[in-house]
Amino acid sequence: MNIVPATVGDVPLILELIRELAEYERMADQLEATAADVERALFGERPSAEAVIARAGGEAVGFALFFHTFSTFVGRRGLYLEDLYVRPASRGRGIGRRLLAHLAALAVERRCGRFEWSVLNWNAPAIAAYRRVGAAPMDDWTVYRLTGDALRALAAEASRE
């Protein structure tokens, strides 16, 4: 098994893996990303994220998509794992852990002050895997999100200033 940076030729594969992840997470109805969106985000003029593909015997068995954040308290950037997915037939073989280790090595190499991600509360297998690598939940924090109409309504306030 090897882990390699995604290339522009991997965009259809990445979108396929994102669709599989959305199904697994019971969120397929929320998937809006297109191949053009993924290509622009990963390989456009100003890429906003990166991806790596895990391959075994030439077959894609998983992927991780990540980007940099910044911590004012640490004074350095961090690495944020947006998505990690291993195809069902390949689970239980350490591929997810290897993807995490690969990203941890990137974070250290890039002098990131932290490596973090979110997990759905019901995803017990992922939570167990994350705890096995030494990750700890941030129980004192709650994630907030603005989308759709609420995002547009708040943004509209800026034009009234």
Side-chain angles (χ1 to χ4, degrees):
M1 208 255 336
N2 62 340
I3 297 171
V4 296
T7 67
V8 70
D10 292 318
V11 167
L13 169 64
I14 293 167
L15 189 56
E16 180 182 322
L17 292 165
I18 291 170
R19 283 189 187 112
E20 290 177 25
L21 173 62
E23 288 287 335
Y24 174 76
E25 291 185 341
R26 306 173 198 149
M27 300 170 74
D29 60 323
Q30 297 177 40
L31 182 60
E32 298 178 17
T34 66
D37 294 330
V38 172
E39 183 172 336
R40 188 172 30 261
L42 298 179
F43 306 104
E45 186 177 319
R46 290 190 60 185
S48 52
E50 300 174 64
V52 292
I53 310 283
R55 296 186 187 274
E59 177 186 338
V61 294
F63 86 114
L65 191 141
F66 58 98
F67 56 90
H68 286 283
T69 59
F70 185 80
S71 169
T72 54
F73 286 12
V74 176
R76 293 192 308 222
R77 64 185 179 170
L79 196 76
Y80 189 86
L81 173 61
E82 177 65 20
D83 288 320
L84 185 146
Y85 177 72
V86 175
R87 288 183 154 155
S90 297
R91 292 183 188 149
R93 297 182 7 208
I95 294 166
R97 185 182 183 103
R98 290 200 43 204
L99 282 163
L100 286 171
H102 181 86
L103 295 183
L106 275 178
V108 169
E109 175 185 310
R110 295 176 182 185
R111 295 190 25 81
C112 294
R114 55 176 63 143
F115 174 30
E116 53 195 359
W117 58 90
S118 298
V119 62
L120 291 164
N121 291 334
W122 60 258
N123 195 344
I127 292 168
Y130 299 151
R131 287 181 186 262
R132 281 194 299 274
V133 300
M138 305 265 311
D139 293 332
D140 294 342
W141 294 81
T142 300
V143 175
Y144 282 83
R145 178 178 290 163
L146 273 175
T147 62
D149 292 340
L151 175 61
R152 287 185 286 280
L154 185 58
E157 290 182 25
S159 64
R160 292 188 287 247
E161 293 177 352

